[in-house]
């Protein structure tokens, strides 16, 4: 129950309604603001507040929510329920745009986000708003049908029907003919001096006419349709265009009839869905109302607190919303209110000086509690707690009425009677100047007696008074507590702060002295009331002063505790962050160690393969081992020696030692094989020599082979060797001297024939490869090791067949494959140069290799 009937105007809620209406986008939203009432259903109130909270979050996170075209077309929709009626073009256009807005809002709010959901139920980002779309229908088919007949400006399209297109085309042709005829007549009249040169055809009553001076109107044959207000101009429709203008009128009438037929047809399509469309417009009004609540909450700097089932007021930094806005306009700060009504302290008796803020405090409680139960956000601190009251009753102001024969005190007593009748454990009573309006002694006694009834019924309340007996009552009765509006008696100004726990002084003597009352009068008044009263009032002021001092101290300590808690929380967050970072660093280090381990194994495998391909040449083996050592040192030098680093180092050393042992065994095997040749592989005795010992004409062979050749010419470290019928170029370091065959023994003849046979076989192999050799190789899509292996064999074949230029297709990509291939090419002696292909033929995706002649 809300008491009295003018409760909203007494607390200022009508101004809150006006504020909400200013934020509404449609008449539907404003109607919902007018229909807004307080609720006692906690679930309903929390749902309203959640809607507002989610909408505020939605508008903060996104700016694409459809909130345009809030047109109210309910009246035209009601009208077309009758057969044969139709919507106008403007009404149909407004319907189409608003239906599109409704469709957009529904689809936006029903957009599910199932990330992290454990079941198949849709997870909406704004569930309370999504619940508002339940049973709301949208009509995309009707929107599409409207789009077929309306253009983007809301006009009927020419092709809305075949007949309309024909009529409009004929109308355009006729009007064009009229215009040409009129211009021809006008030019003739101007040439004859009947019409001024700057005159142009104009429109009168929907017909094209020519302005002519009255004295010359008989010179032009036609019909006079109108004259100017001054009578100096008449408007003549030439006889030549009368028939054409009549035809235009007929075509315009036919156009209008066709448009009405089209609108009637589309209205017939809409008519069966009027009820559902009206429900969707109710949803649009609700969204408009939610938007208004959210905008008002922003303006008031309000929040949406959780509402509990029991009666409760535990507000921190509560601010009267209307007073806050008024003071902001003046550039003044508002003093927040701290107030608490619980089951242990149900009634608060507020005392203090006049104009000290007692009535404002009472109105703040009434207005904000009523706003909360209407589902509106309230300007309180985040840590505030709120509850619900079944009855909210107020007695404030002067209710005297001559017509009803009510005096001020009689009206107060009438309100007290109704309050005592309705009061219960879920009632909030708001009484200003309790017991006032009559003789103080009896008025205070009646007020105390009424207060006992309120306590017996366990009602909640905020009561302001100046009576001492009520202050004493609060000290001696459970559930009632005193409160004081603070006043600075040194600066003689109200502080507008509420201090709960001690009664307040009225500061009557001090205020009288400040207003300029003669000191003689003040002294006389003090003598009348007695020194005991004056002293007790001073003691009370001292208590209030001390309480304010210790309250400030308490707030300072509380602030320091809060700061300390914040710092502790920050430190804990930083420690957690450091722990996460440490784990992340360890994870990355482990990944890097594994990558290095894989890279080390890869390097070793490549080294083994290269040593095999180089056939264990000492210089190459030494160089490869040095590269491995450099890689190992680089791994060990990358950062400090952690446990992971040491483990990697030990593992690499083990792998290296194992590979070296295998290499030594291989070299020993090859040495033994060279020392004890078989008959099939016997090698002529040769003395190894340095490359500088080779001379033109020397007999040589390739290290590891038996075929003997002769040096034809030497160019630096390169030599041209003739093996039988084959001539080739290679480095001197790959050759070794061989003794020429000077005997003609059968064994030697067999060796020579064997060498000749080998030479012939080699020649045939080279010829076969040269015949099948292709100058291009494509390694795109291969891994680096696969591509490198293919390129090595390809370059060897190119050298073998004496190819002067080849191309390697590796693609662009990241460039890693290109870099690996070119690193290898730089180590091949027979490669003179390499470069990118011309941009027209592939550019950096192809490497052109130039070989030595």
């Amino acid at each position: 129950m809300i008491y009295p009937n003018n409760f909203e105007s007494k607390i200022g809620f009508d101004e809150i309604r006006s504020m909400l209406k200013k934020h509404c986008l449609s008449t539907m939203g404003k109607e919902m603001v007018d229909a807004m009432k307080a609720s006692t259903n906690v679930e309903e109130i929390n749902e309203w507040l959640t809607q507002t909270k989610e909408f505020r979050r939605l508008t903060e996170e996104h700016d694409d929510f459809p909130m345009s075209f809030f047109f109210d077309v309910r009246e035209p929709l009601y009208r077309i329920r009758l057969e044969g009626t139709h919507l106008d073009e403007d009404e149909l256009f407004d319907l189409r745009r608003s239906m599109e807005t409704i469709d957009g809002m529904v689809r936006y709010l029903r957009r599910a986000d199932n990330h992290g959901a454990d079941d198949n139920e849709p997870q909406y980002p704004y569930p309370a708003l999504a619940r508002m779309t339940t049973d709301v229908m949208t009509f995309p088919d009707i929107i599409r049908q409207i789009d077929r007949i309306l253009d983007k400006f809301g006009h009927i399209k020419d092709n809305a029907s075949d007949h309309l297109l024909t009529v409009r085309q004929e109308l355009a042709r006729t009007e064009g003919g009229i215009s040409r005829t009129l211009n021809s007549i006008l030019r003739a009249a101007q040439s004859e001096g009947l019409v001024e040169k700057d005159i142009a055809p104009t429109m009168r009553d929907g017909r094209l006419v020519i302005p002519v001076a009255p004295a010359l109107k008989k010179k032009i044959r036609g019909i006079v349709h109108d004259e100017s207000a001054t009578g100096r101009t008449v408007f003549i429709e030439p006889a030549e265009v009368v028939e054409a203008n009549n035809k235009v009128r007929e075509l315009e009438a036919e156009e209008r009839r066709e448009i009405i037929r089209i609108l009637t047809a589309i209205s017939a399509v809409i008519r069966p869905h009027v009820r559902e469309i009206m429900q969707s417009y109710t949803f649009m009004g609700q969204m408009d109302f939610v938007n208004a609540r959210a905008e008002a909450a922003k303006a008031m700097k309000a929040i949406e607190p959780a509402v509990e089932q029991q009666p409760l007021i535990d507000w921190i930094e509560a601010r009267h919303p209307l007073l806050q806005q008024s003071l902001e306009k003046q550039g003044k700060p508002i003093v927040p209110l701290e107030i608490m009504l619980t089951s242990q302290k149900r009634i608060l008796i507020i005392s203090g000086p006049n104009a000290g803020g007692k009535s404002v405090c009472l109105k703040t409680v009434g207005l904000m509690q009523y706003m909360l139960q209407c589902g509106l956000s309230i300007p309180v601190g985040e840590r505030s707690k709120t509850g619900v009251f079944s009855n909210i009753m107020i007695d404030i102001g002067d209710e005297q009425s001559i017509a009803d024969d009510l005096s001020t005190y009689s009206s107060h007593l009438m309100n007290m009677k109704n309050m005592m009748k309705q009061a219960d454990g879920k009632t909030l009573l708001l009484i200003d100047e309790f017991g006032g309006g009559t003789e103080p002694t009896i008025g205070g006694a009646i007020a105390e007696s009424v207060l006992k009834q309120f306590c017996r019924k366990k009602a909640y309340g905020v009561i302001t008074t100046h009576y001492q007996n009520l202050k004493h009552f609060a000290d001696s009765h459970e559930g009632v507590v005193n409160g004081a509006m603070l006043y600075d008696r040194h600066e003689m100004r109200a502080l507008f702060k509420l201090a709960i726990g001690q009664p307040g002084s009225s500061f009557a003597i001090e205020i009288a002295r400040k207003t300029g009352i003669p000191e003689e009068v003040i002294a006389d008044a003090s003598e009348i009331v007695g020194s005991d009263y004056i002293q007790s009032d001073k003691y009370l002021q001292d208590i209030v002063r001390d309480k304010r001092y210790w309250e400030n101290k308490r707030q300072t300590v509380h602030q320091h505790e809060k700061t300390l808690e914040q710092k502790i929380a920050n430190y804990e967050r930083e420690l957690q962050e450091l722990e996460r970072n440490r784990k992340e660093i360890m994870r990355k280090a482990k990944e890097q160690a594994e990558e290095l381990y894989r890279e080390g194994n890869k390097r070793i495998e490549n080294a083994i393969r290269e040593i095999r391909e180089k056939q264990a040449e000492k210089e190459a083996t030494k160089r490869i081992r040095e590269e491995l050592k450099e890689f190992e040192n680089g791994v060990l030098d990358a950062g400090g020696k952690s446990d992971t680093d040491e483990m990697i180092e030990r593992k690499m050393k083990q792998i290296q030692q194992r590979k070296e042992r295998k290499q030594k065994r291989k070299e020993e095997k090859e040495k033994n094989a060279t020392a004890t040749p078989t008959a099939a592989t016997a090698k002529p005795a040769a003395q190894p020599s340095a490359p500088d010992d080779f001379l033109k004409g020397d007999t040589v062979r390739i290290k590891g082979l038996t075929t003997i050749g002769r040096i034809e010419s030497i160019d630096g470290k390169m030599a041209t060797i003739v093996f039988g019928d084959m001539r080739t170029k290679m480095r001197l370091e790959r050759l070794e001297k061989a003794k020429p065959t000077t005997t003609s023994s059968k064994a030697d003849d067999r060796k020579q024939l064997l060498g000749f046979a080998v030479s012939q076989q080699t020649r045939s192999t080279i010829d076969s490869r040269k015949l099948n050799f292709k100058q291009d190789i494509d390694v795109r899509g291969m891994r680096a090791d696969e591509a490198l292996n293919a390129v090595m064999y390809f370059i060897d074949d190119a050298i073998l067949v004496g190819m002067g230029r080849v191309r390697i297709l590796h693609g662009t990509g990241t460039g890693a494959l290109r870099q690996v291939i070119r690193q290898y090419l730089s180590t091949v002696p027979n490669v003179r140069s390499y470069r990118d292909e011309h941009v027209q033929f592939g550019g950096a995706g192809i490497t052109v290799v130039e070989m030595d002649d």
Side-chain angles (χ1 to χ4, degrees), residues 478-668:
E478 185 179 354
V480 186
V481 63
N482 271 310
M485 299 306 299
L486 301 183
Y487 189 86
D488 191 334
R489 63 177 179 179
H490 297 291
E491 297 184 8
M492 299 302 293
R493 64 180 182 88
L495 299 177
F496 303 106
K497 289 184 178 180
L498 174 63
I500 297 177
Q502 294 293 335
S505 170
S506 296
F507 293 95
I509 298 295
E510 287 77 5
I511 294 175
R513 185 175 286 116
K514 180 184 178 182
T515 54
I517 300 296
E519 194 64 33
E520 180 183 356
V521 174
I522 295 175
D524 189 29
S526 300
E527 187 175 342
I528 291 172
V529 298
S531 60
D532 290 343
Y533 180 85
I534 298 297
Q535 286 300 117
S536 65
D537 195 54
K538 286 184 179 180
Y539 292 150
L540 185 59
Q541 294 175 15
D542 291 339
I543 292 172
V544 171
R545 181 199 61 203
D546 294 343
K547 179 177 176 58
R548 187 176 67 188
Y549 172 80
W550 290 113
E551 180 65 22
N552 291 336
K553 287 288 187 183
R554 186 190 68 81
Q555 290 180 358
T556 302
V557 172
H558 178 69
Q559 187 64 35
H560 288 166
E561 289 178 349
K562 193 174 180 181
T563 304
L564 184 60
E565 290 174 358
Q566 185 66 32
K567 288 183 178 180
I568 292 173
N570 291 338
Y571 290 149
E572 290 178 350
R573 282 197 299 273
E574 289 176 0
L575 285 174
Q576 293 174 358
E577 184 66 23
L578 286 173
E579 181 63 21
R580 283 195 297 271
N581 291 340
R582 188 186 69 81
K583 290 180 179 179
E584 181 66 18
I585 291 170
M586 292 298 295
R587 183 186 64 78
K588 290 182 178 179
K590 185 177 179 181
E591 291 177 355
Q592 292 174 357
E594 292 174 351
E595 180 64 26
L596 288 172
Y597 180 72
R598 289 192 295 270
E599 180 68 18
N601 284 341
K602 184 177 177 182
R603 292 265 186 140
I604 293 170
E605 290 170 2
N606 290 339
I608 293 170
R609 187 183 70 248
E610 192 171 353
I611 289 171
R612 287 174 178 170
E613 291 171 355
K614 297 291 184 179
Q615 298 182 355
E617 295 180 17
K618 292 184 178 180
E619 292 296 328
T621 305
K622 184 178 180 182
R623 177 179 57 80
I624 294 167
R625 287 178 175 173
E626 288 176 354
E627 290 176 359
L628 281 175
K629 191 63 178 177
E630 289 177 2
F631 173 72
E632 180 183 357
N633 293 335
V635 171
L636 296 177
D637 292 340
K641 295 278 187 173
S642 62
D643 294 341
T644 308
D645 295 337
E646 293 177 359
M647 181 185 69
I648 295 170
E649 181 180 359
R650 288 195 302 270
K651 189 66 177 176
M652 289 192 67
K653 284 183 177 179
Q654 292 173 3
I655 294 171
Q656 180 66 15
Q657 290 170 1
R658 187 162 57 248
K659 298 299 181 183
E660 288 178 355
R661 286 196 297 269
K662 288 182 179 179
Q663 185 64 27
K664 286 180 180 179
R665 286 197 294 269
K666 181 179 178 182
E667 290 176 357
E668 290 175 358

Side-chain angles (χ1 to χ4, degrees), residues 17-117:
R17 285 190 193 271
S18 300
M19 182 193 305
L20 288 169
K21 286 182 179 179
K22 290 179 182 178
H23 294 295
C24 288
L25 304 175
S26 68
T27 55
M28 299 172 289
K30 293 177 181 178
E31 289 174 3
M32 291 193 170
V33 172
D34 289 332
M36 176 176 54
K37 292 182 180 179
S39 173
T40 58
N41 187 323
V42 175
E43 293 182 358
E44 186 176 41
I45 295 170
N46 280 322
E47 183 72 6
W48 292 341
L49 293 172
T50 305
Q51 291 170 1
T52 306
K53 189 173 185 178
E54 288 183 359
F55 193 85
R56 292 178 68 178
R57 181 164 59 87
L58 185 152
T59 54
E60 290 171 0
E61 294 175 351
H62 308 282
D63 57 358
D64 58 345
F65 186 74
M67 287 297 293
S68 55
F69 306 126
F70 274 64
F71 298 111
D72 186 2
V73 292
R74 291 175 297 175
E75 184 178 345
L77 286 173
Y78 277 124
R79 188 180 71 239
I80 66 168
R81 290 183 299 175
L82 298 175
E83 291 287 340
T85 56
H86 64 85
L87 296 170
D88 295 336
E89 285 183 53
D90 294 340
E91 294 169 345
L92 185 63
F93 191 44
D94 289 345
L95 176 67
R96 181 248 178 272
R97 289 184 290 174
S98 55
M99 287 175 65
E100 185 177 42
T101 298
I102 293 171
D103 180 70
M105 289 191 295
V106 170
R107 284 189 289 105
Y108 198 102
L109 297 177
R110 287 179 180 173
R111 191 165 56 190
D113 180 11
N114 287 325
H115 296 297

Side-chain angles (χ1 to χ4, degrees), residues 662-713:
K662 288 182 179 179
Q663 185 64 27
K664 286 180 180 179
R665 286 197 294 269
K666 181 179 178 182
E667 290 176 357
E668 290 175 358
K669 185 182 291 185
E670 290 177 352
K671 189 180 295 183
N672 294 333
T674 304
T676 57
T678 62
T681 61
K683 299 181 181 178
Q687 296 295 328
S689 59
D692 296 339
D693 296 338
F694 290 112
L695 298 174
K696 181 178 177 181
D698 284 351
T699 301
V700 294
R701 67 182 176 202
I702 299 174
K703 292 179 180 179
L705 298 179
T706 59
T707 304
I708 298 174
R710 180 177 56 82
I711 297 177
E712 185 179 59
S713 62

Side-chain angles (χ1 to χ4, degrees), residues 8 35 80 205 314 337 436 466 516 553 560 630 668 704 820 840:
E8 291 188 2
I80 66 168
D205 296 331
D314 185 3
L337 176 69
H466 289 283
K553 287 288 187 183
H560 288 166
E630 289 177 2
E668 290 175 358
V820 169
Q840 292 182 347

Side-chain angles (χ1 to χ4, degrees), residues 15 76 79 126 183 198 215 230 248 329 338 418 428 435 519 613 674 697 717 727 780 791 851:
E15 297 183 45
R79 188 180 71 239
Y126 311 102
N183 285 328
D198 57 347
T230 61
V248 167
K329 292 178 181 178
E338 312 270 339
N418 291 327
L428 176 63
E519 194 64 33
E613 291 171 355
T674 304
K717 294 184 179 181
R727 179 181 287 101
R780 291 174 296 182
V791 169
M851 313 294 291

